[in-house]
Amino acid sequence: MKVAIGSDHGGYKLKEEIKGLLASMNVEVVDVGCTCEDSVDYPDYAQPVAEMVAAGECDRGILVCGTGIGMSIAANKIPGIRCALVHDTFSARATREHNNSNVLAMGERVIGPGLALDIVKIWLETEYQGGRHERRLEKIAGIETKHAGVK
Ligand code: RB5
């Protein structure tokens, strides 16, 4: 599996911890930054991660900012992206099984690193269930198509 990862300054430390976990899981990582705790703008990191996933260059994406909210809003603007903002292990499993989420967003100022790493592991290892959920994902894609190009 190949995972694109990005953070702003508010998520930098957690991003680095997640990279350590991914290395221990033999997951290939593309890190788009940021590279330190100097203030930056989260859309500049959400966009390349989401674009790599949407283009099929990476299998999944992980985004971290202070809350995870800005990253998730930005990533979900990219067609084909289903970014889930997750801060508990139940949701980490459910969003893979039900939503086939392809990007995970978390907030470093919301949860501690222990829980965050558990969430990442569960999210990466849980399979999409398909079945009845497929119809719902098709409806989400339909919304995207209907509004494509609308200003
Ligand atoms: C940066 O201060 C903060 O706004 C950002 O990390 C994130 O929480 C935005 O949603």
Side-chain angles (χ1 to χ4, degrees):
M1 183 182 286
K2 191 170 169 182
V3 172
I5 190 166
S7 77
D8 71 356
H9 53 288
Y12 173 72
K13 280 191 288 219
L14 181 54
K15 171 171 72 75
E16 295 304 303
E17 296 218 36
I18 294 169
K19 281 165 61 184
L21 171 69
L22 298 178
S24 77
M25 294 172 73
N26 290 317
V27 170
E28 191 181 345
V29 174
V30 180
D31 183 358
V32 305
C34 60
T35 56
C36 67
E37 292 182 81
D38 292 350
S39 183
V40 292
D41 299 331
Y42 56 82
D44 295 336
Y45 302 90
Q47 184 174 354
V49 165
E51 286 178 345
M52 277 190 269
V53 174
E57 293 164 23
C58 288
D59 303 296
R60 305 271 190 90
I62 298 175
L63 292 166
V64 191
C65 61
T67 60
I69 297 170
M71 286 293 199
S72 62
I73 291 171
N76 278 317
K77 297 295 180 192
I78 307 293
I81 292 304
R82 293 175 301 279
C83 177
L85 174 60
V86 173
H87 290 124
D88 66 276
T89 55
F90 176 83
S91 300
R93 187 172 292 105
T95 190
R96 284 292 310 135
E97 290 178 344
H98 294 200
N99 313 124
N100 197 14
S101 53
N102 48 15
V103 177
L104 171 69
M106 291 184 295
E108 182 187 301
R109 297 171 186 160
V110 180
I111 52 172
L115 176 55
L117 297 186
D118 276 356
I119 287 168
V120 169
K121 197 161 189 303
I122 289 167
W123 185 76
L124 288 175
E125 292 178 343
T126 303
E127 294 294 325
Y128 172 49
Q129 283 181 345
R132 69 189 188 280
H133 303 297
E134 195 55 27
R135 183 178 69 245
R136 294 154 189 171
L137 296 196
E138 282 166 12
K139 289 187 177 185
I140 292 173
I143 295 169
E144 203 169 75
T145 304
K146 181 179 175 192
H147 292 273
V150 174
K151 299 262 184 267

mmCIF file of all heavy atoms in Angstrom, residues 7-14 34 36-42 45 64-66 71 108-109:
data_model
loop_
_atom_site.group_PDB
_atom_site.id
_atom_site.type_symbol
_atom_site.label_atom_id
_atom_site.label_comp_id
_atom_site.label_asym_id
_atom_site.label_seq_id
_atom_site.Cartn_x
_atom_site.Cartn_y
_atom_site.Cartn_z
ATOM 1 N N SER A 7 0.391 17.545 6.519
ATOM 2 C CA SER A 7 -0.102 18.260 7.706
ATOM 3 C C SER A 7 0.204 19.740 7.556
ATOM 4 O O SER A 7 1.029 20.133 6.726
ATOM 5 C CB SER A 7 0.599 17.757 8.973
ATOM 6 O OG SER A 7 1.911 18.291 9.056
ATOM 7 N N ASP A 8 -0.466 20.542 8.381
ATOM 8 C CA ASP A 8 -0.007 21.916 8.578
ATOM 9 C C ASP A 8 0.816 21.923 9.869
ATOM 10 O O ASP A 8 1.118 20.872 10.450
ATOM 11 C CB ASP A 8 -1.182 22.907 8.577
ATOM 12 C CG ASP A 8 -2.071 22.811 9.816
ATOM 13 O OD1 ASP A 8 -1.836 21.914 10.669
ATOM 14 O OD2 ASP A 8 -3.004 23.625 9.943
ATOM 15 N N HIS A 9 1.153 23.125 10.333
ATOM 16 C CA HIS A 9 1.962 23.247 11.553
ATOM 17 C C HIS A 9 1.260 22.640 12.762
ATOM 18 O O HIS A 9 1.898 22.077 13.640
ATOM 19 C CB HIS A 9 2.281 24.724 11.815
ATOM 20 C CG HIS A 9 1.064 25.593 11.845
ATOM 21 N ND1 HIS A 9 0.356 25.897 10.700
ATOM 22 C CD2 HIS A 9 0.396 26.198 12.867
ATOM 23 C CE1 HIS A 9 -0.672 26.663 11.019
ATOM 24 N NE2 HIS A 9 -0.679 26.852 12.327
ATOM 25 N N GLY A 10 -0.093 22.731 12.770
ATOM 26 C CA GLY A 10 -0.866 22.213 13.911
ATOM 27 C C GLY A 10 -0.893 20.698 13.975
ATOM 28 O O GLY A 10 -1.279 20.130 15.000
ATOM 29 N N GLY A 11 -0.501 20.050 12.890
ATOM 30 C CA GLY A 11 -0.510 18.585 12.864
ATOM 31 C C GLY A 11 0.851 17.977 12.600
ATOM 32 O O GLY A 11 0.978 16.751 12.448
ATOM 33 N N TYR A 12 1.879 18.829 12.555
ATOM 34 C CA TYR A 12 3.212 18.359 12.148
ATOM 35 C C TYR A 12 3.758 17.229 13.033
ATOM 36 O O TYR A 12 4.230 16.202 12.544
ATOM 37 C CB TYR A 12 4.197 19.536 12.120
ATOM 38 C CG TYR A 12 5.607 19.090 11.879
ATOM 39 C CD1 TYR A 12 6.006 18.622 10.631
ATOM 40 C CD2 TYR A 12 6.556 19.092 12.913
ATOM 41 C CE1 TYR A 12 7.296 18.176 10.409
ATOM 42 C CE2 TYR A 12 7.842 18.655 12.703
ATOM 43 C CZ TYR A 12 8.206 18.198 11.460
ATOM 44 O OH TYR A 12 9.486 17.744 11.249
ATOM 45 N N LYS A 13 3.667 17.429 14.361
ATOM 46 C CA LYS A 13 4.264 16.421 15.263
ATOM 47 C C LYS A 13 3.555 15.076 15.118
ATOM 48 O O LYS A 13 4.189 14.028 15.080
ATOM 49 C CB LYS A 13 4.201 16.905 16.719
ATOM 50 C CG LYS A 13 5.306 17.904 17.038
ATOM 51 C CD LYS A 13 5.406 18.183 18.520
ATOM 52 C CE LYS A 13 4.250 19.008 18.988
ATOM 53 N NZ LYS A 13 4.411 20.026 19.941
ATOM 54 N N LEU A 14 2.226 15.114 15.015
ATOM 55 C CA LEU A 14 1.487 13.857 14.864
ATOM 56 C C LEU A 14 1.792 13.210 13.510
ATOM 57 O O LEU A 14 1.911 11.986 13.421
ATOM 58 C CB LEU A 14 -0.018 14.092 15.037
ATOM 59 C CG LEU A 14 -0.905 12.852 14.918
ATOM 60 C CD1 LEU A 14 -0.461 11.735 15.871
ATOM 61 C CD2 LEU A 14 -2.374 13.210 15.179
ATOM 62 N N CYS A 34 3.819 19.545 5.907
ATOM 63 C CA CYS A 34 4.888 20.511 6.018
ATOM 64 C C CYS A 34 6.116 19.861 6.686
ATOM 65 O O CYS A 34 6.059 18.706 7.092
ATOM 66 C CB CYS A 34 4.410 21.734 6.806
ATOM 67 S SG CYS A 34 3.866 21.387 8.503
ATOM 68 N N CYS A 36 8.091 21.502 9.226
ATOM 69 C CA CYS A 36 8.427 22.022 10.558
ATOM 70 C C CYS A 36 7.168 22.677 11.135
ATOM 71 O O CYS A 36 6.113 22.624 10.515
ATOM 72 C CB CYS A 36 9.581 23.023 10.492
ATOM 73 S SG CYS A 36 9.138 24.530 9.615
ATOM 74 N N GLU A 37 7.299 23.274 12.301
ATOM 75 C CA GLU A 37 6.122 23.842 12.965
ATOM 76 C C GLU A 37 5.899 25.324 12.647
ATOM 77 O O GLU A 37 5.107 25.978 13.319
ATOM 78 C CB GLU A 37 6.212 23.600 14.471
ATOM 79 C CG GLU A 37 6.068 22.120 14.818
ATOM 80 C CD GLU A 37 6.102 21.863 16.310
ATOM 81 O OE1 GLU A 37 5.052 22.055 16.951
ATOM 82 O OE2 GLU A 37 7.173 21.501 16.823
ATOM 83 N N ASP A 38 6.542 25.835 11.616
ATOM 84 C CA ASP A 38 6.260 27.206 11.170
ATOM 85 C C ASP A 38 4.858 27.259 10.572
ATOM 86 O O ASP A 38 4.423 26.301 9.914
ATOM 87 C CB ASP A 38 7.269 27.651 10.106
ATOM 88 C CG ASP A 38 8.675 27.815 10.688
ATOM 89 O OD1 ASP A 38 8.804 27.771 11.926
ATOM 90 O OD2 ASP A 38 9.620 27.949 9.899
ATOM 91 N N SER A 39 4.175 28.379 10.751
ATOM 92 C CA SER A 39 2.782 28.488 10.324
ATOM 93 C C SER A 39 2.637 28.405 8.797
ATOM 94 O O SER A 39 3.332 29.097 8.048
ATOM 95 C CB SER A 39 2.208 29.821 10.818
ATOM 96 O OG SER A 39 0.840 29.892 10.471
ATOM 97 N N VAL A 40 1.728 27.532 8.367
ATOM 98 C CA VAL A 40 1.421 27.340 6.938
ATOM 99 C C VAL A 40 -0.092 27.225 6.788
ATOM 100 O O VAL A 40 -0.826 27.259 7.786
ATOM 101 C CB VAL A 40 2.113 26.067 6.381
ATOM 102 C CG1 VAL A 40 3.634 26.232 6.348
ATOM 103 C CG2 VAL A 40 1.715 24.833 7.191
ATOM 104 N N ASP A 41 -0.565 27.041 5.550
ATOM 105 C CA ASP A 41 -2.004 26.969 5.283
ATOM 106 C C ASP A 41 -2.415 25.544 4.910
ATOM 107 O O ASP A 41 -1.923 24.993 3.908
ATOM 108 C CB ASP A 41 -2.362 27.922 4.134
ATOM 109 C CG ASP A 41 -2.025 29.371 4.473
ATOM 110 O OD1 ASP A 41 -2.055 29.724 5.675
ATOM 111 O OD2 ASP A 41 -1.706 30.132 3.542
ATOM 112 N N TYR A 42 -3.338 24.978 5.684
ATOM 113 C CA TYR A 42 -3.681 23.557 5.490
ATOM 114 C C TYR A 42 -4.173 23.190 4.087
ATOM 115 O O TYR A 42 -3.889 22.081 3.623
ATOM 116 C CB TYR A 42 -4.668 23.075 6.570
ATOM 117 C CG TYR A 42 -5.945 23.860 6.672
ATOM 118 C CD1 TYR A 42 -7.005 23.613 5.829
ATOM 119 C CD2 TYR A 42 -6.095 24.872 7.624
ATOM 120 C CE1 TYR A 42 -8.176 24.345 5.914
ATOM 121 C CE2 TYR A 42 -7.256 25.611 7.717
ATOM 122 C CZ TYR A 42 -8.293 25.344 6.859
ATOM 123 O OH TYR A 42 -9.450 26.059 6.936
ATOM 124 N N TYR A 45 -1.692 21.556 1.703
ATOM 125 C CA TYR A 45 -1.260 20.175 1.946
ATOM 126 C C TYR A 45 -2.400 19.185 1.700
ATOM 127 O O TYR A 45 -2.178 18.073 1.238
ATOM 128 C CB TYR A 45 -0.684 20.046 3.365
ATOM 129 C CG TYR A 45 0.463 21.010 3.527
ATOM 130 C CD1 TYR A 45 0.241 22.318 3.991
ATOM 131 C CD2 TYR A 45 1.741 20.671 3.110
ATOM 132 C CE1 TYR A 45 1.270 23.243 4.059
ATOM 133 C CE2 TYR A 45 2.777 21.585 3.172
ATOM 134 C CZ TYR A 45 2.541 22.873 3.650
ATOM 135 O OH TYR A 45 3.560 23.772 3.685
ATOM 136 N N VAL A 64 -3.392 15.718 8.708
ATOM 137 C CA VAL A 64 -3.466 16.147 10.107
ATOM 138 C C VAL A 64 -3.325 17.664 10.179
ATOM 139 O O VAL A 64 -2.406 18.240 9.591
ATOM 140 C CB VAL A 64 -2.335 15.510 10.964
ATOM 141 C CG1 VAL A 64 -2.611 15.754 12.444
ATOM 142 C CG2 VAL A 64 -2.182 14.020 10.683
ATOM 143 N N CYS A 65 -4.260 18.303 10.883
ATOM 144 C CA CYS A 65 -4.082 19.719 11.230
ATOM 145 C C CYS A 65 -4.431 19.849 12.711
ATOM 146 O O CYS A 65 -4.411 18.851 13.435
ATOM 147 C CB CYS A 65 -4.896 20.641 10.326
ATOM 148 S SG CYS A 65 -6.678 20.439 10.351
ATOM 149 N N GLY A 66 -4.724 21.052 13.167
ATOM 150 C CA GLY A 66 -5.015 21.200 14.591
ATOM 151 C C GLY A 66 -6.268 20.442 14.990
ATOM 152 O O GLY A 66 -6.299 19.723 15.992
ATOM 153 N N MET A 71 -8.631 20.389 7.060
ATOM 154 C CA MET A 71 -8.089 19.395 6.123
ATOM 155 C C MET A 71 -9.214 18.578 5.486
ATOM 156 O O MET A 71 -9.203 18.327 4.275
ATOM 157 C CB MET A 71 -7.132 18.440 6.845
ATOM 158 C CG MET A 71 -5.794 19.041 7.187
ATOM 159 S SD MET A 71 -4.839 19.398 5.696
ATOM 160 C CE MET A 71 -3.184 19.527 6.419
ATOM 161 N N GLU A 108 -4.477 17.027 15.693
ATOM 162 C CA GLU A 108 -3.450 16.811 16.726
ATOM 163 C C GLU A 108 -3.819 17.466 18.046
ATOM 164 O O GLU A 108 -3.397 17.026 19.111
ATOM 165 C CB GLU A 108 -2.104 17.366 16.227
ATOM 166 C CG GLU A 108 -0.969 17.139 17.199
ATOM 167 C CD GLU A 108 0.313 17.830 16.784
ATOM 168 O OE1 GLU A 108 0.821 17.550 15.693
ATOM 169 O OE2 GLU A 108 0.799 18.668 17.572
ATOM 170 N N ARG A 109 -4.638 18.564 17.967
ATOM 171 C CA ARG A 109 -5.026 19.256 19.200
ATOM 172 C C ARG A 109 -6.258 18.629 19.837
ATOM 173 O O ARG A 109 -6.737 19.099 20.866
ATOM 174 C CB ARG A 109 -5.295 20.735 18.891
ATOM 175 C CG ARG A 109 -4.060 21.471 18.393
ATOM 176 C CD ARG A 109 -4.383 22.867 17.886
ATOM 177 N NE ARG A 109 -3.213 23.490 17.282
ATOM 178 C CZ ARG A 109 -3.257 24.508 16.438
ATOM 179 N NH1 ARG A 109 -4.414 25.041 16.098
ATOM 180 N NH2 ARG A 109 -2.153 24.999 15.917
#
